Amino acid sequence: MTSFPVPGTPVTVVLRSRDPAQWPGEVAAVRDGGVAVRIAGAMPAWDPNGTYVLVALDGSVRVSQPAAYIGHTERAVAFRSLGPWQPVDRRAHPRFAANYRAEVRSVLGNSRQDGRLVDISMGGMAVRVGSRPGGRQVQVRVWAGPFSSELLCMVVGAEEDENGVVLRLQYTDLLPAQRAFVRQVVEGLAGQGAAQAS
């Protein structure tokens, strides 16, 4: 049985905080209880007290592991493993198919484009837009009947097809009123018998 991960395995380092961030890279070395990651691009500043998660593919299964920052060189950053690699639960919240108007604005840039909600859950949503916005954080305004709300989201995936791009989004730091809006939309769709998204 091949151990996981091995040097060269693509991995994303995710910082969970009020200002979340993520950096792509690859495994440089694996030692008992630790992983060294070679970061693509410039080495960022690391928070010794930050909450980090390493995300990688084990075959076709997306897995993650909590990790603590140890130190870094110019080329790689070392993390101590805080738990085993676990499959990422992509269905922590049921998603419901939806077709509401949305507007996606890049937080880093000034791009703004109309879109349509594809599905929504209490953890995130999918929005179809014409092209992928710059940056990893976006503001998404959703109109559901007479109500609307603007939600800060992290782009966790994007799927291109002939009709544009479907952005897979995870909510970031929702305020109580925003969470109530999402709950109202999700419960409304569930009450209407909307299909659960696959």
Side-chain angles (χ1 to χ4, degrees):
M1 182 173 157
T2 306
S3 60
F4 177 85
V6 296
T9 301
V11 64
T12 300
V13 178
V14 179
L15 170 63
R16 292 193 168 165
S17 71
R18 287 190 67 76
D19 297 311
Q22 59 185 27
W23 303 273
E26 67 178 29
V27 173
V30 180
R31 292 192 174 79
D32 287 341
V35 177
V37 178
R38 188 175 301 110
I39 299 298
M43 186 65 69
W46 300 100
D47 180 355
N49 300 312
T51 301
Y52 291 96
V53 176
L54 307 180
V55 181
L57 279 179
D58 185 2
S60 62
V61 179
R62 194 165 170 243
V63 294
S64 67
Q65 176 187 66
Y69 168 80
I70 297 174
H72 69 277
T73 66
E74 290 181 13
R75 299 190 46 140
V77 57
F79 293 97
R80 181 172 32 101
S81 302
L82 296 179
W85 290 94
Q86 298 279 350
V88 173
D89 183 4
R90 298 182 143 205
R91 301 306 298 267
H93 304 282
R95 292 179 291 155
F96 294 93
N99 187 25
Y100 293 124
R101 178 181 164 216
E103 182 183 76
V104 177
R105 182 175 58 83
S106 172
V107 171
L108 291 179
N110 54 8
S111 71
R112 185 184 302 261
Q113 55 185 317
D114 288 330
R116 298 298 296 182
L117 204 59
V118 174
D119 62 52
I120 188 168
S121 75
M122 289 304 297
M125 60 185 161
V127 178
R128 179 176 295 282
V129 291
S131 61
R132 184 169 180 160
R136 297 205 180 268
Q137 280 195 321
V138 292
Q139 290 277 3
V140 181
R141 178 164 291 280
V142 176
W143 286 266
F147 303 102
S148 74
S149 184
E150 190 167 77
L151 310 168
L152 180 63
C153 299
M154 176 75 71
V155 178
V156 295
E159 301 157 13
E160 294 187 36
D161 61 25
E162 65 277 3
N163 298 316
V165 179
V166 174
L167 300 175
R168 299 287 173 191
L169 306 170
Q170 183 176 35
Y171 308 126
T172 304
D173 297 329
L174 293 186
L175 298 172
Q178 294 169 316
R179 187 163 296 285
F181 170 81
V182 172
R183 182 174 290 108
Q184 182 180 13
V185 171
V186 169
E187 290 176 354
L189 291 167
Q192 295 169 14
Q196 287 199 27
S198 58

